[in-house]
């Protein structure tokens, strides 16, 4: 594996706080994408008591070659206690903002929409002041499932585009770029009040022009928030890194995104889709939107 440049070094985590978060997660039998996907920011996020919960996992029905989450063609049945346990973790961690994501569950009739809904309902029971961000898969284009999720009124609906169209076949073989854009389009049509968000990773061989085309494409479907981060190879069995993008290039993409109307662009080598997601609360105060009654 290619040596990482200096700008990809991360600070050592505060072990006491990290251990406390992990203890709560283990006690409640919960998974986090922080651990399952080997996120480089796990130390920083756990140290301040934040985590992105991974539901319906830990195994995924897709085997994307960039992702460190395990593949399982026929994963286990959904845990009926998971939403309650997740809500209890939110309460114990005293989270102001929670991110809930999932593995792909292409084996389920509703792609797992009902489990997302139950998680929202349970969190609101115990912590009504907590804002809720969902990071959802493409649902195989099941827009009825999307409507079910949005009816539960998450504050932020995130769906990652992941890469440029040219690389989809290699990077995200079971996904479709246009389907991802359509999910964001449908979300805006169904719920104009929701804050939409998407993210891409770079370093897989894309050009500056191709990245800018995706940024523009996301803005064209009225996406509000964009994250851009460096892809890091989890192991020798995963896709290799083609190049390490400089902080200056990330800054240029951020400025471009802001210039075309995104409410927020978080773009840096260590940015991940849920990194500093709690900052969206301030964004919601700056650009308030009225939810339906």
């Amino acid at each position: 594996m290619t040596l990482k440049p200096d700008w990809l070094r991360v600070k050592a985590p505060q072990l006491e706080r990290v251990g406390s978060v992990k203890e709560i997660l283990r006690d409640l039998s919960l998974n986090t994408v922080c651990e399952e996907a080997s996120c480089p920011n796990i130390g920083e996020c756990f140290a301040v008591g934040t985590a992105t919960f991974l539901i319906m996992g830990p195994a995924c029905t897709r085997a994307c070659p960039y992702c460190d989450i395990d593949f399982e063609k026929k994963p286990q049945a959904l845990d009926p206690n998971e939403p309650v346990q997740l809500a209890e973790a939110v309460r114990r961690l005293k989270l102001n903002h929670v991110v809930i994501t999932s593995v792909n569950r292409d084996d389920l009739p509703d792609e797992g929409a009902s489990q997302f809904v139950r998680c929202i309902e349970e969190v609101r029971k115990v912590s009504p002041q907590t804002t809720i961000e969902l990071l959802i898969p493409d649902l195989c284009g099941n827009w009825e499932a999307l409507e079910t999720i949005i009816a539960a009124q998450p504050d932020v609906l995130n769906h990652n585009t992941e890469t440029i169209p040219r690389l989809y076949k290699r990077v995200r073989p079971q996904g479709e770029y246009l389907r991802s854009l359509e999910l964001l389009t449908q979300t805006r049509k169904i719920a104009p009040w929701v804050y939409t968000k998407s993210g891409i990773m770079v370093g897989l061989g894309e050009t500056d022009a191709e990245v800018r085309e995706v940024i523009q494409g996301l803005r064209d479907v009225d996406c509000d928030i964009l994250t851009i981060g460096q892809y890091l190879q989890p192991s020798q069995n995963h896709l290799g890194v083609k190049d390490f993008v400089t902080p200056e290039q990330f800054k240029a993409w951020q400025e471009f995104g802001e210039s075309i109307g995104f409410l927020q662009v978080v773009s840096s080598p260590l940015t991940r889709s849920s990194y500093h997601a709690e900052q969206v609360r301030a964004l919601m105060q700056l650009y308030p939107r009225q939810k339906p009654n």
Side-chain angles (χ1 to χ4, degrees):
M1 296 172 71
T2 308
L3 291 176
K4 298 175 185 176
D6 290 343
W7 61 76
L8 282 170
R9 293 179 181 177
V10 296
K11 295 180 180 178
Q14 300 173 27
L15 295 179
E16 183 177 347
R17 181 56 172 147
V18 171
S20 175
V21 175
K22 283 193 173 186
E23 185 178 336
I24 289 172
L25 296 173
R26 297 295 83 78
D27 182 47
L28 296 171
S29 301
L30 293 170
N31 300 302
T32 66
V33 73
C34 322
E35 296 173 290
E36 299 300 327
S38 304
C39 179
N41 303 312
I42 186 171
E44 180 180 352
C45 293
F46 276 20
V48 296
T50 64
T52 297
F53 296 100
L54 179 71
I55 64 172
M56 297 184 271
C60 183
T61 55
R62 299 187 189 180
C64 298
Y66 69 88
C67 185
D68 204 23
I69 293 176
D70 292 336
F71 165 71
E72 193 170 329
K73 190 174 183 179
K74 294 183 178 180
Q76 298 175 7
L78 297 182
D79 179 358
N81 295 319
E82 184 175 55
V84 174
Q85 301 287 69
L86 188 152
E88 174 62 13
V90 170
R91 187 190 68 80
R92 291 192 198 178
L93 291 168
K94 300 178 181 179
L95 299 183
N96 291 320
H97 184 79
V98 61
V99 182
I100 305 169
T101 189
S102 78
V103 294
N104 285 278
R105 289 301 302 262
D106 299 338
D107 59 312
L108 299 174
D110 70 348
E111 322 299 329
S114 58
Q115 192 80 335
F116 272 114
V117 171
R118 287 199 60 218
C119 286
I120 292 174
E121 292 172 345
E122 294 299 331
V123 169
R124 293 225 164 104
K125 285 180 186 177
V126 302
S127 187
Q129 80 287 351
T130 299
T131 47
I132 299 174
E133 176 176 333
L134 300 186
L135 171 54
I136 66 172
D138 63 20
L139 307 175
C140 293
N142 183 342
W143 305 140
E144 288 185 7
L146 178 64
E147 289 184 19
T148 297
I149 291 171
I150 292 175
Q153 298 191 2
D155 298 285
V156 181
L157 197 291
N158 186 355
H159 172 67
N160 285 336
T161 314
E162 301 292 12
T163 189
I164 61 167
R166 176 174 59 83
L167 295 178
Y168 252 67
K169 188 174 182 180
R170 181 165 66 92
V171 175
R172 202 180 191 189
Q174 291 167 281
E176 296 176 13
Y177 176 72
L178 292 179
R179 185 164 67 195
S180 287
L181 286 185
E182 183 61 20
L183 184 150
L184 294 167
T185 300
Q186 291 294 326
T187 299
R188 178 60 71 229
K189 288 180 180 178
I190 298 166
W193 50 266
V194 78
Y195 296 85
T196 54
K197 179 176 176 181
S198 190
I200 60 174
M201 54 189 173
V202 294
L204 287 163
E206 62 289 311
T207 66
D208 172 63
E210 287 174 320
V211 173
R212 287 174 182 262
E213 286 177 8
V214 171
I215 295 173
Q216 183 66 63
L218 287 167
R219 189 66 203 113
D220 287 345
V221 297
D222 204 18
C223 184
D224 295 310
I225 304 166
L226 173 65
T227 60
I228 309 173
Q230 171 72 50
Y231 167 68
L232 298 175
Q233 184 180 5
S235 77
Q236 294 285 6
N237 297 322
H238 292 81
L239 285 177
V241 175
K242 292 292 185 182
D243 45 60
F244 290 108
V245 179
T246 66
E248 291 76 18
Q249 179 63 76
F250 279 105
K251 181 66 174 176
W253 288 328
Q254 177 184 349
E255 292 173 348
F256 173 65
E258 291 171 345
S259 75
I260 61 174
F262 280 95
L263 300 185
Q264 182 185 53
V265 181
V266 184
S267 177
S268 74
L270 288 174
T271 290
R272 294 297 180 268
S273 186
S274 304
Y275 187 43
H276 290 175
E278 72 282 355
Q279 294 175 357
V280 77
R281 286 173 66 89
L283 196 72
M284 292 165 67
Q285 291 178 346
L286 281 173
Y287 306 97
R289 293 175 183 169
Q290 189 66 41
K291 283 186 180 182
N293 294 326

